[in-house]
Amino acid sequence: MAARRPLIVGNWKMNGLKASLAEAKAMADRAASEKPKAELGLCPPATLVAAMAKALGGSPADPHRIGVGGQDCHARSSGAHTGDISAEMLKDAGATYVIVGHSERRADHGETDAVVRAKAQAAHRAGLIAIICVGETLAQRDAGETLKVINGQLRASLPDDAAAANTVIAYEPVWAIGTGRTPTPAQVAEVHAAIRQDLMARFDDGAGFRLLYGGSVKPDNARQLMAVADVDGALVGGASLKINDFWPIVEAKN
Ligand code: PGA
């Protein structure tokens, strides 16, 4: 099995106007000149997907281009779903990835594991890489249920035809997102090992799936988090908006 290439993805959430494309372009220029080891992605709000893909350019075959992704997609390819966006539309706009099952979607929009699974299938159907998020709440961690919760989310959110080439798992403890709090390296290692074990039990290429850690990854903690066994990269929120915060995280996985 080929070695897993690290992957660092920025999730801009509901942040970014056209003027922000200059920041993304600066990141792309830096990636082109420094050729980091990690594959890089940026997931702007839907309004910027097409413009960002155009601004960043580069062919999918270029290992040092920054790929663009959506933050969500509908399970259907088209139809009467006001306000929604399909995986096919993201692909058409130039996307490579789509995040599905982010805890903010699960919480704000009541997305269940079954919904997340349908969205991951849609991503695969459209030829996108699905970045499927899982993570426990603080109450679940305090109750000692972390691994049980993660295992359940994985089982129910991953389609049976998921493969290392089209699926990335992001472990994002809900209590670490946007809070400045992070799990200890030992806590991350425990969860990532459990995820790896689950993937290997279920998929022939389970050893090849990339596992990202997400939740308050910052320049000052990235090196420690990225060094944990079975952490293949990061899903970065707040610190992905500015090159000066994002780049040290990219370099932490070099
Ligand atoms: P954060 O967000 O880095 O701002 O904590 C991470 C995420 O929600 O993907």
Side-chain angles (χ1 to χ4, degrees), residues 11 13 102-104 172 176-179 214-218 235-239:
N11 172 14
K13 308 193 181 187
H102 190 282
S103 64
E104 286 153 15
E172 298 207 306
I177 295 176
T179 59
S216 294
V217 178
K218 305 289 178 199
L235 183 54
V236 185

Side-chain angles (χ1 to χ4, degrees), residues 50-228:
M52 186 180 283
K54 188 158 178 255
L56 301 191
S59 88
D62 175 359
H64 303 296
R65 72 148 189 177
I66 299 185
V68 175
Q71 299 173 9
D72 176 49
C73 66
H74 195 275
R76 299 275 172 87
S77 54
S78 64
H81 302 287
T82 303
D84 279 313
I85 290 171
S86 72
E88 281 78 0
M89 291 169 179
L90 290 170
K91 179 79 178 173
D92 185 52
T96 302
Y97 316 94
V98 62
I99 299 168
V100 295
H102 190 282
S103 64
E104 286 153 15
R105 300 287 316 172
R106 291 177 185 260
D108 296 353
H109 300 272
E111 292 188 6
T112 61
D113 288 329
V115 166
V116 174
R117 178 191 177 104
K119 291 182 174 200
Q121 283 173 316
H124 296 158
R125 181 188 67 218
L128 296 174
I129 294 173
I131 301 173
I132 304 177
C133 303
V134 296
E136 83 286 1
T137 63
L138 193 55
Q140 288 166 332
R141 175 163 282 277
D142 288 345
E145 294 172 351
T146 299
L147 296 186
K148 194 179 94 191
V149 167
I150 302 294
N151 291 356
Q153 288 177 336
L154 278 179
R155 200 166 39 245
S157 304
L158 263 74
D160 288 332
D161 63 354
N166 65 16
T167 305
V168 171
I169 308 299
Y171 167 53
E172 298 207 306
V174 177
W175 51 274
I177 295 176
T179 59
R181 295 183 57 191
T182 54
T184 64
Q187 288 173 322
V188 175
E190 182 189 31
V191 175
H192 278 235
I195 294 174
R196 180 68 66 203
Q197 208 170 30
D198 266 24
L199 293 172
M200 289 180 65
R202 184 169 164 194
F203 301 101
D204 289 344
D205 63 352
F209 283 59
R210 290 180 290 183
L211 311 186
L212 311 185
Y213 167 77
S216 294
V217 178
K218 305 289 178 199
D220 61 0
N221 62 20
R223 214 161 273 282
Q224 192 185 36
L225 289 164
M226 294 302 103
V228 173

